[in-house]
Amino acid sequence: RMATQNLKIDAGQDHVLLLSGSLDAPAITVWTAASREFGDTETAFEVRFAHASATLGNVDVYFEDPAIVPGTNPPIATLAFGEIADATDFEEGIYVMTVTAEGDPGVVHFTSRETDLLPRFAHVMTIFDGDESDTAPVVVRSMTAVGNPLALADANYPAQIRLVHGASTLQSVDVYADEALTSLVVGGLDFKTATAYLDAGEVERTFYFTPAGSIATVLFQRIIPAPVPGTYNDLFLIGDTDDWSSVYAGTNRALATNAAKLRMFHAAFNHPLVDVYSVDRGVEFDETATAVVRAQYGAAMPTILLPEGDIDLYFTVAGEETVIAGPYPVDATLNGTLELLVVDVVDPLFAEIVDITQL
């Protein structure tokens, strides 16, 4: 048990519990307000603004038409950490939320993208510190009494994409974002390597893959979906000779203070299904070991939480003790992360584990 909060639930009241602090010293703040009931023809929505960013001081909140410069009008709320403003009604429409230092609209901490909000919803819009999964240092998340979570992304921090080359039969490639092959995204992406994170744009687009240094032919092309604003994403290149493809996946990069996080992607075409084992360093791998996850080719594996310590990873044929890769040493540290790519090698009976960790 981390923390306990006694709470009396009353009819007609909404209760929001904010858990803050640390694992060693957690704190619970309770926000309570009357439940909002809307008529069928109402065109307004309700917002309560809240402050849960441990790194920001007192803030002013502006929530206005995109054409209005913050500071033109008084802020809709001024908040300290742990505070929530009284409810305010707004007419349905497009709004921008701006968070600034208290009394200084020139010190901007957050500016949302233009957001079209529907009527007859009661929102709690809360300011949080971003984590490693967010491209921005400050994020705003909304929830309503009926669910419908909404993330307001900072317009100044675009979504990111990383390309990871995991296809052993695919040569080094150049990647273009246009059919005319004039807009180079990445040049010379080699097998078993990953790019840095790049701006992902805002709309769906097509990537064209050519041999490195040549535009004489397009090896294959893939449609890249419009990214979720403010997120990190990976594009894994996989497949076999002349049948290459890609897998697009959002990336949960958030760290855990009480565990090490292990993320893996299975790109080894010769091994459709594998089991992954974690064994204490120096302990012999045998039939007493227990698999921590089963992985399918072409799919990101679930994130694995590891206790602190030194371990060895083994990959086997699914349901067997036949080792195809490992031991792979992992020094698991609390609040640490490790990203691994599993790829084919020349011998089809085996595979290789590649570290693609990037923060």
Side-chain angles (χ1 to χ4, degrees), residues 174-253:
D174 293 340
V175 185
Y176 293 87
D178 64 325
E179 191 171 7
L181 306 181
T182 59
S183 179
L184 182 67
V185 177
V186 176
L189 180 59
D190 295 325
F191 175 51
K192 298 191 296 186
T193 66
T195 68
Y197 278 102
L198 313 168
D199 286 354
E202 297 184 359
V203 299
E204 179 183 278
R205 54 183 176 162
T206 301
F207 280 175
Y208 299 83
F209 299 83
T210 72
S214 172
I215 57 172
T217 183
V218 174
L219 299 171
F220 67 106
Q221 64 190 59
R222 284 293 174 268
I223 295 175
I224 311 302
V228 176
T231 61
Y232 288 91
N233 306 274
D234 287 331
L235 184 72
F236 296 94
L237 309 188
I238 63 172
D240 199 13
T241 305
D242 296 328
D243 188 24
W244 297 296
S245 61
S246 63
V247 175
Y248 179 88
T251 304
N252 178 3
R253 293 158 42 90

Side-chain angles (χ1 to χ4, degrees), residues 334-350:
L334 302 184
N335 210 40
T337 189
L338 180 65
E339 297 176 288
L340 299 178
L341 178 70
V342 186
V343 297
D344 287 315
V345 294
V346 174
D347 189 334
L349 297 179
F350 297 97

Side-chain angles (χ1 to χ4, degrees), residues 274-300:
V274 301
D275 288 336
V276 183
Y277 293 82
S278 170
V279 178
D280 288 340
R281 183 78 50 81
V283 175
E284 183 178 356
F285 175 74
D286 57 25
E287 69 278 358
T288 62
T290 302
V292 294
V293 68
R294 175 163 290 181
Q296 181 178 347
Y297 164 73

